[in-house]
Amino acid sequence: MAFRFSTHLKQLPPWYNIRGLEFGVVLGTMGRLVRNLKGEVFPGWSTKESRARVAATLTPVVRSMAGFKQASHAAMPELDKEERKLLLERKQITPCLAARQDGSHVFINKKQDTIIMLNEEEHLAIHRFASGNQLDTIVADLRKKAKHVESQADMAYSKEYGYLTSMASECGDGLQLYMVLHLPGHVILNQIDKVERALNKLHLNISPFYTEYGEETGNLYVLFSPPAPLGTTDEILKHMEATADSLTEKELLLRQKIAAEDTITLSDAIGRMYGTLQHGAIMRYPELLHTVSMIRIATETGFLLFNGDPSHLQARLADIMLISSPTHLSYTSEEKSETIQAFMRMHLMKNLAAHLHINDEFSLHILP
Amino acid sequence: MLLTQIVNGQVSDLALCETCAREKGLFDPQSLTFAEKFFPEEFKAKVDKLVQELAEGKRVEKPSTKRTDVLTKCPVCDFPLETYRKTGRLGCPDCYTVFSRELELQTTPGATEAQPQTHEDAPALSRIALEKQLKEAIAREDYETAAALRDQLKDLT
Ligand SMILES: [Zn+2]
Ligand SMILES: [Zn+2]
């Protein structure tokens, strides 16, 4: 029996904390594959009846995919606003699907690493997530899924344009890639603009990873490709991989530079953050995003020591970012008071901080 | 029927019906361009503009160059060519064949390829800076500035 959708929403996606990956800079990877049925009107222009027909054709195709026989499912009208908001915040559905009603559906596999949307912007949209830098795995898996889908249903394709999409400029391979990067070194040393300009030449984009909770992004950025024009996926994949590698290398260098050349400022900032964790009582979500970034910098540069496996720390930080958002706390704890939510959030951080301590080598003493 | 809309990350109901929106030429107001798919917070200005246009009952008519396409509507799905010109969207897979002449104009490979190199040496305002200003403009509900910034951002791509 498929498990309930609401249960799903209360669990963390297990892919989120897979251990043993390079977590320092590339935190996660996502691929989006889209396909449309031949002879059916695109969801944005279609009637309720044609959406129902599309869903009826594609549902058995989804169910026949590996891992989707038992996948949890919801028809969009079954989901309330809170649930939509939560799925949206986890990037598990797109704003377009969140706004849809009759005839639109979402499927999530048990591992929560693959989401399938029916009658989103396109008839079929598959999102595949992985922690760390796993572009290769994601592209290979999406290609396998595409092949399966095409063996089961007749998809709209033209030799000239490739796979046809509702947005004319997005037709082609029907594939798009995203990466989430933690770039505090680039931010502190004002290197983001330079990266931007370099990426323009490769037709790649980088954008701050905004949440709905204010300006603070915790130094997170999204690197993304445009939807691949026909036959360009391999080239885009190559560019994305090369970009991720060079950004990682550069970021680690910049962090070392900051730690070496601006020791006093950095150790002060880390000390203040650590002090807040020891003696503060509440933490708002934007402050949490900032603190998570600071803990990452502090442990990676050796200012703070973590007693435990470093990948456990990274996994825990990723979990906390997800479970301590206002939307998530309201949904899972049913606690609506902002102050009490902020108290719960701080409690989570204090539990983690208990395993962190200041590296004495770096503490600055005033000499008599 | 209400359309559920997401404004600034908040899911809320928008008091307009699908039929009305379509009559006004506002085809699929929920759909987003690819960059906006994961940044619902960023398109508040766009949504506000759509809502405003609906309220005022006006359409932003682009002076469309008269093309020689015989059909102004897709015979399969009734999708108007004019809407494609305004939104870049199509109604069904067959629209690609019906409006092929129009599409040829938009998807000339050289046209998009050459652009990024032109402002390589003259980065007036970076995307990040523009995006930041856009967010600020939205925050202070200055939608005029937001619209102008959004157009500048569009020009960057
Ligand atoms: Zn109406
Ligand atoms: Zn059509």
Side-chain angles (χ1 to χ4, degrees):
Chain A
M1 200 189 84
F3 61 108
R4 289 168 56 90
F5 212 80
S6 56
T7 323
H8 221 149
L9 288 174
K10 291 188 180 170
Q11 292 168 350
L12 282 177
W15 63 265
Y16 215 77
N17 49 28
I18 294 166
R19 296 205 282 139
L21 290 159
E22 176 51 69
F23 279 103
V25 180
V26 181
L27 301 185
T29 319
M30 203 277 275
R32 168 179 167 90
L33 179 101
V34 298
R35 291 290 185 266
N36 286 288
L37 284 173
K38 197 188 258 177
E40 290 288 355
V41 175
F42 297 135
W45 187 245
S46 68
T47 57
K48 221 196 254 188
E49 292 69 34
S50 70
R51 282 199 290 273
R53 200 166 51 236
V54 167
T57 307
L58 288 176
T59 299
V61 178
V62 172
R63 286 296 185 197
S64 69
M65 282 170 53
F68 275 83
K69 201 176 160 197
Q70 305 281 310
S72 74
H73 158 264
M76 288 315 285
E78 294 165 11
L79 298 177
D80 64 24
K81 281 181 196 170
E82 280 280 292
E83 290 166 324
R84 287 168 194 240
K85 219 178 137 190
L86 194 59
L87 288 164
L88 196 60
E89 188 175 288
R90 292 168 162 218
K91 312 289 175 201
Q92 289 186 321
I93 61 171
T94 54
C96 181
L97 189 80
R100 295 254 194 256
Q101 294 289 355
D102 290 333
S104 295
H105 298 259
V106 57
F107 297 81
I108 304 186
N109 69 346
K110 192 154 190 182
K111 280 196 270 177
Q112 293 201 48
D113 66 356
T114 311
I115 316 289
I116 301 183
M117 291 171 265
L118 298 185
N119 287 314
E120 182 236 27
E121 199 165 51
E122 316 297 344
H123 293 148
L124 177 77
I126 306 180
H127 287 192
R128 172 73 157 82
F129 299 85
S131 60
N133 182 349
Q134 298 196 63
L135 279 175
D136 258 347
T137 317
I138 279 185
V139 171
D141 187 51
L142 285 175
R143 279 179 165 155
K144 210 169 93 187
K145 287 186 162 63
K147 217 172 150 187
H148 175 78
V149 167
E150 279 143 40
S151 73
Q152 305 286 305
D154 212 358
M155 294 296 162
Y157 179 85
S158 98
K159 273 197 184 116
E160 192 182 349
Y161 302 111
Y163 292 98
L164 306 179
T165 50
S166 67
M167 190 79 185
S169 59
E170 296 187 3
C171 64
D173 289 352
L175 194 74
Q176 198 177 357
L177 301 169
Y178 299 77
M179 272 183 146
V180 178
L181 304 158
H182 183 228
L183 301 174
H186 282 78
V187 174
I188 294 167
L189 296 174
N190 297 314
Q191 298 291 302
I192 295 287
D193 285 6
K194 223 168 104 185
V195 171
E196 261 251 292
R197 289 198 293 275
L199 289 182
N200 261 335
K201 291 178 213 166
L202 296 174
H203 301 283
L204 296 177
N205 294 284
I206 193 162
S207 168
F209 193 88
Y210 289 119
T211 69
E212 64 173 280
Y213 307 110
E215 288 287 314
E216 183 60 57
T217 59
N219 297 316
L220 294 181
Y221 283 81
V222 192
L223 171 71
F224 60 99
S225 67
L230 184 58
T232 62
T233 296
D234 285 324
E235 198 193 337
I236 288 175
L237 181 62
K238 223 169 65 195
H239 284 165
M240 286 277 279
E241 278 180 332
T243 303
D245 287 349
S246 71
L247 277 176
T248 301
E249 198 181 325
K250 182 80 185 291
E251 172 63 24
L252 296 175
L253 277 171
L254 293 175
R255 289 180 195 171
Q256 277 175 21
K257 189 177 150 77
I258 295 162
E261 292 172 12
D262 216 354
T263 320
I264 295 177
T265 316
L266 187 61
S267 88
D268 176 70
I270 291 166
R272 280 166 192 271
M273 176 271 291
Y274 192 69
T276 304
L277 289 176
Q278 302 305 308
H279 304 292
I282 60 172
M283 187 172 269
R284 306 281 172 197
Y285 193 63
E287 187 186 356
L288 179 126
L289 294 175
H290 176 75
T291 306
V292 165
S293 180
M294 286 293 292
I295 291 175
R296 285 188 166 129
I297 303 166
T299 50
E300 282 154 16
T301 48
F303 280 73
L304 275 184
L305 300 172
F306 176 69
N307 53 15
D309 182 337
S311 62
H312 282 169
L313 174 67
Q314 293 296 348
R316 189 59 189 151
L317 289 172
D319 286 352
I320 288 178
M321 275 175 63
L322 211 60
I323 62 180
S324 73
S325 82
T327 309
H328 213 281
L329 283 176
S330 309
Y331 190 80
T332 51
S333 70
E334 283 166 34
E335 180 53 65
K336 306 291 176 208
S337 151
E338 265 186 44
T339 309
I340 294 177
Q341 281 189 7
F343 180 78
M344 292 162 75
R345 197 174 289 124
M346 181 59 111
H347 185 73
L348 287 167
M349 288 303 277
K350 279 172 178 282
N351 282 344
L352 181 72
H355 302 276
L356 291 167
H357 58 271
I358 300 264
N359 186 350
D360 283 335
E361 270 180 56
F362 289 97
S363 57
L364 301 169
H365 301 284
I366 296 169
L367 299 171
Chain B
M1 187 193 122
L2 286 175
L3 279 184
T4 309
Q5 187 57 271
I6 309 190
V7 180
N8 218 9
Q10 301 289 322
V11 184
S12 59
D13 284 328
L14 202 62
L16 54 106
C17 77
E18 219 161 344
T19 322
C20 270
R22 277 167 67 157
E23 275 168 10
K24 303 260 184 207
L26 288 167
F27 154 68
D28 200 18
Q30 304 124 322
S31 287
L32 308 168
T33 64
F34 75 89
E36 291 161 328
K37 281 183 188 113
F38 292 92
F39 302 96
E41 301 77 22
E42 303 243 311
F43 70 94
K44 186 171 184 293
K46 182 172 167 177
V47 172
D48 284 333
K49 191 160 163 266
L50 290 176
V51 174
Q52 200 190 330
E53 279 168 24
L54 269 180
E56 292 170 3
K58 80 164 186 220
R59 308 161 57 157
V60 205
E61 213 78 49
K62 222 198 253 171
S64 55
T65 43
K66 271 277 161 275
R67 300 287 319 140
T68 45
D69 289 87
V70 189
L71 294 166
T72 54
K73 260 186 179 189
C74 169
V76 178
C77 73
D78 276 342
F79 191 82
L81 173 61
E82 203 47 44
T83 308
Y84 164 69
R85 287 181 177 157
K86 272 189 220 146
T87 64
R89 295 185 173 278
L90 291 168
C92 78
D94 293 299
C95 287
Y96 277 86
T97 319
V98 178
F99 303 134
S100 61
R101 297 186 63 139
E102 185 84 11
L103 282 161
E104 260 168 54
L105 278 175
Q106 311 288 320
T107 53
T108 318
T112 48
E113 211 93 313
Q115 231 189 352
Q117 273 124 26
T118 54
H119 49 78
E120 180 185 341
D121 297 316
L125 263 180
S126 77
R127 171 178 307 280
I128 304 282
L130 282 171
E131 271 168 355
K132 195 161 178 283
Q133 286 189 16
L134 175 60
K135 277 203 79 169
E136 283 162 8
I138 293 169
R140 61 173 189 269
E141 301 192 347
D142 177 3
Y143 297 124
E144 242 168 86
T145 311
L149 288 166
R150 197 185 52 238
D151 291 341
Q152 283 187 50
L153 271 167
K154 258 188 218 142
D155 289 342
L156 278 182
T157 43

